[in-house]
Amino acid sequence: MDTILSAVLSELSTRSIHFFISKISKPVPLDVEDCLRRVLLRAQVIMDEAMGRHITNQAMLLQLVELRDAMHRGYYMIDTFRYQHHDEEETKDEDVSRTPSLSIVNYVKHLRFSSRGGLALKELQEAHDNLSSMILDVNELVLFLTSYPRLYRQPYSIHLQLANCMFGREMEAQLVINFLLHTDRHEGEDLGLLPIVGPGQVGKTTLVAHVCKNERVRGHFSKILFFSIHSFTNDEVSNFEKACATEHQNHMSNSNIDRRLLVVVEFIGDLNENAWNRIYRASKQYVPSGSKIIVTSRSDEIVKFGTTRALTLKYLSHESYWYFFKTITFGSTDPKMHPRLTQLAMLIAKMLNSSLIAGNITACLLRDNFDVHFWGKVLTFFRGYFQRHISRFGEHPIDLICQNKPAHVARMTIPSEEFMVQHQNECSLEEEVPQITFKDVMFGSVKPHEKFEVLTWKARIPPYYSRVYTCEIQKLNTTASKRKRSTKNGSTLC
């Protein structure tokens, strides 16, 4: 009996010790969050230093792209954990004894957040471990950074920088610049050609415009020629050939015959291989040696014609998009001082499908109405509108607009009306644009009639295009159609 009792007590002691050790060693949420925040600061220092340097090593640039994406994921995880935890604390502090039904709702809500808390903490720890590992991997990279020359940069606060600079494409721009400035010692007959592919409104034209504005690129090429090919018609191809021939004549008459050209061709429609062969032959015939070609297209078919690895642009990840949206929405205001607003902003950002134009419009709207009730109304409006559109047409309206397809747009202030975006076009800085804005129609009380044009967005960065939508107001049938009723023998038939 003594032996059995001794064994039981020993087992209980062992389990108690393991229990206390596990409790002590279990990470505290605030400690994990603090550790991740410190690692993020180290990653931010590395990225800020890298973006201020002229880096020519392509492998280093690709490694920095991965570090940038991991950094954005880390910031997103901190915000997700922090504002989910804040909502849980609000639930705990509520007076659950006011009504039985409210008590049950809050209890269920508390259980939901408690079950998610462990998962969120695990994801927070994984984000910390992943980013810490990446920082260790780039130790040599940090040492090499100091060997690259600095770039001149205008001092901006972070929110002004994101609003007035190209976001999330800095490393990609450096890859394009390296291609343009690289000179082969044994150049063949083929011209250097870089394809840049990606879906609509992903930033291909903006990326090329920033590259062409670079002082080193402008100093390397005597002239930059821009061409836009919409449908590969015979006239468009002939115009390209004539323009190249004219430039060749001007080049031959110039005493400096070694001047290089940069040819930028934007393909809008589907690729026509025969037409493309004519365009490339004209380039080889008339463009001087050492010149380069950049081709942008939505079609991956152009990739096979490149003389170097194609650059594929994708929409921003949700984590990177949240970093951008939060920064331009709150500006110089600290989001941590407004946890409820930040929580609403996260929910709104999730529904915008990483659209930079929609993000800029919505951020401007929220920034001008810094009120929790208004932000809640915007969230409710977006949620209902997007769900109805997907239910009716099978696609998100932002996706249709990015593909330049017709999309129905609801009006927050006038639920009985909606307008259809039928067509969109880009206007240069010199062209006249409409006075009425997309934000005025969607969220304001402006009452346009029938067909009209709206200014959707006026870019503050190169190429400074203004996006204009052609729209048409449509009335909604708000009263449900009722079937006629007839009565017979005192009863109602429907």
Side-chain angles (χ1 to χ4, degrees):
M1 190 67 183
D2 292 339
T3 304
I4 296 175
L5 182 60
S6 176
V8 170
L9 291 175
S10 177
E11 180 67 19
L12 288 174
S13 299
T14 303
R15 292 191 179 188
S16 299
I17 292 171
H18 283 302
F19 175 76
F20 285 116
I21 291 175
S22 64
K23 283 293 185 181
I24 294 172
S25 61
K26 186 177 181 179
V28 180
L30 293 179
D31 293 342
V32 178
E33 181 184 348
D34 186 60
C35 291
L36 179 55
R37 189 176 68 251
R38 280 182 281 143
V39 173
L40 283 168
L41 286 175
R42 293 178 61 190
Q44 187 74 62
V45 169
I46 296 172
M47 290 304 305
D48 289 346
E49 184 67 22
M51 286 191 291
R53 302 277 181 175
H54 172 212
I55 302 173
T56 56
N57 187 297
Q58 184 167 346
M60 287 180 64
L61 290 172
L62 294 175
Q63 199 171 15
L64 286 167
V65 169
E66 293 181 359
L67 180 62
R68 177 196 65 195
D69 294 341
M71 183 184 72
H72 289 159
R73 283 194 297 271
Y75 278 119
Y76 179 79
M77 287 305 305
I78 279 187
D79 286 342
T80 301
F81 181 81
R82 178 181 294 157
Y83 299 113
Q84 171 186 301
H85 179 71
H86 168 78
D87 193 52
E88 181 181 359
E89 290 300 320
E90 283 187 346
T91 304
K92 290 180 181 178
D93 294 338
E94 287 178 354
D95 183 7
V96 297
S97 61
R98 285 175 292 180
T99 63
S101 60
L102 183 61
S103 176
I104 293 172
V105 169
N106 286 332
Y107 177 70
V108 173
K109 186 178 180 182
H110 172 65
L111 287 179
R112 177 170 58 89
F113 279 111
S114 298
S115 62
R116 283 166 42 188
L119 180 61
L121 181 60
K122 181 182 178 182
E123 292 176 345
L124 208 65
Q125 184 68 52
E126 289 176 353
H128 169 269
D129 296 341
N130 181 47
L131 193 57
S132 298
S133 176
M134 294 191 71
I135 289 178
L136 289 176
D137 291 341
V138 298
N139 277 339
E140 294 83 1
L141 180 147
V142 174
L143 294 175
F144 288 135
L145 278 179
T146 56
S147 64
Y148 289 102
R150 286 193 174 276
L151 300 174
Y152 172 76
R153 286 189 178 275
Q154 196 76 14
Y156 288 112
S157 61
I158 185 64
H159 69 281
L160 291 178
Q161 183 175 346
L162 290 194
N164 294 280
C165 297
M166 182 177 57
F167 173 74
R169 305 295 187 201
E170 298 87 358
M171 300 301 119
E172 289 83 350
Q174 194 61 58
L175 286 170
V176 179
I177 291 173
N178 291 344
F179 160 76
L180 296 177
L181 300 184
H182 178 70
T183 303
D184 293 326
R185 293 183 179 180
H186 306 287
E187 291 182 342
E189 295 183 358
D190 290 339
L191 294 171
L193 189 151
L194 171 65
I196 301 179
V197 297
Q201 298 186 21
V202 77
K204 300 184 295 294
T205 304
T206 301
L207 174 64
V208 173
H210 275 74
V211 168
C212 293
K213 191 182 177 183
N214 184 275
E215 292 182 1
R216 289 171 293 144
V217 172
R218 301 187 75 86
H220 188 75
F221 297 97
S222 62
K223 197 170 184 179
I224 302 176
L225 305 177
F226 293 92
F227 298 94
S228 183
I229 308 295
H230 288 265
S231 54
F232 285 93
T233 61
N234 190 57
D235 290 340
E236 286 182 323
V237 177
S238 297
N239 290 337
F240 178 87
E241 293 172 330
K242 291 176 182 177
C244 289
T246 302
E247 191 59 40
H248 178 68
Q249 292 176 356
N250 295 336
H251 167 75
M252 294 303 295
S253 62
N254 194 298
S255 57
N256 183 8
I257 61 174
D258 294 327
R259 297 176 68 188
R260 295 176 288 262
L261 297 179
L262 171 56
V263 181
V264 179
V265 184
E266 179 184 19
F267 291 156
I268 308 297
D270 296 329
L271 180 66
N272 181 311
E273 193 162 335
N274 292 330
W276 162 250
N277 289 332
R278 285 179 58 189
I279 290 174
Y280 190 66
R281 281 198 300 269
S283 301
K284 288 177 61 177
Q285 181 179 356
Y286 297 118
V287 175
S289 176
S291 300
K292 296 290 180 72
I293 303 176
I294 295 177
V295 179
T296 65
S297 175
R298 297 185 184 185
S299 173
D300 291 335
E301 294 182 19
I302 196 65
V303 171
K304 61 185 177 183
F305 297 108
T307 61
T308 187
R309 180 180 177 181
L311 180 61
T312 302
L313 298 185
K314 299 178 181 179
Y315 292 116
L316 294 177
S317 67
H318 182 64
E319 295 84 359
S320 297
Y321 186 74
W322 164 240
Y323 184 89
F324 168 79
F325 185 76
K326 178 181 68 171
T327 304
I328 62 174
T329 299
F330 286 91
S332 56
T333 303
D334 187 357
K336 292 194 290 291
M337 301 300 294
H338 304 276
R340 181 56 180 159
L341 289 177
T342 308
Q343 190 181 40
L344 291 171
M346 290 191 78
L347 295 172
I348 291 172
K350 285 181 180 179
M351 295 185 287
L352 299 180
N353 280 22
S354 297
S355 168
L356 294 178
I357 292 180
N360 275 291
I361 295 173
T362 308
C364 180
L365 175 74
L366 299 178
R367 195 168 56 244
D368 292 343
N369 300 271
F370 214 76
D371 175 74
V372 65
H373 299 293
F374 179 77
W375 288 30
K377 287 175 62 178
V378 173
L379 173 62
T380 303
F381 166 72
F382 274 152
R383 183 175 289 154
Y385 159 49
F386 292 147
Q387 287 177 353
R388 289 194 305 272
H389 196 283
I390 294 173
S391 176
R392 290 169 60 191
F393 306 105
E395 289 191 65
H396 197 291
I398 291 179
D399 292 341
L400 291 176
I401 291 175
C402 288
Q403 300 170 38
N404 203 5
K405 294 179 180 179
H408 293 256
V409 182
R411 304 189 66 187
M412 191 171 80
T413 53
I414 309 177
S416 61
E417 284 186 351
E418 67 177 20
F419 60 100
M420 178 182 284
V421 176
Q422 297 178 331
H423 179 70
Q424 55 179 300
N425 63 292
E426 293 175 340
C427 300
S428 64
L429 195 61
E430 296 78 17
E431 295 180 78
E432 188 175 351
V433 295
Q435 296 297 318
I436 183 174
T437 67
F438 187 86
K439 187 178 73 170
D440 293 334
V441 180
M442 189 172 183
F443 301 102
S445 56
V446 174
K447 295 183 178 180
H449 301 285
E450 297 180 354
K451 287 191 176 182
F452 60 96
E453 288 189 338
V454 295
L455 173 63
T456 303
W457 182 246
K458 198 169 187 177
R460 296 189 292 267
I461 59 177
Y464 302 109
Y465 282 150
S466 296
R467 194 168 292 275
V468 176
Y469 289 171
T470 301
C471 308
E472 182 178 7
I473 285 287
Q474 295 185 337
K475 290 285 185 180
L476 293 178
N477 185 14
T478 55
T479 59
S481 58
K482 298 181 179 180
R483 287 175 293 181
K484 294 183 180 181
R485 299 182 175 185
S486 61
T487 58
K488 182 178 182 182
N489 297 328
S491 60
T492 304
L493 303 176
C494 297

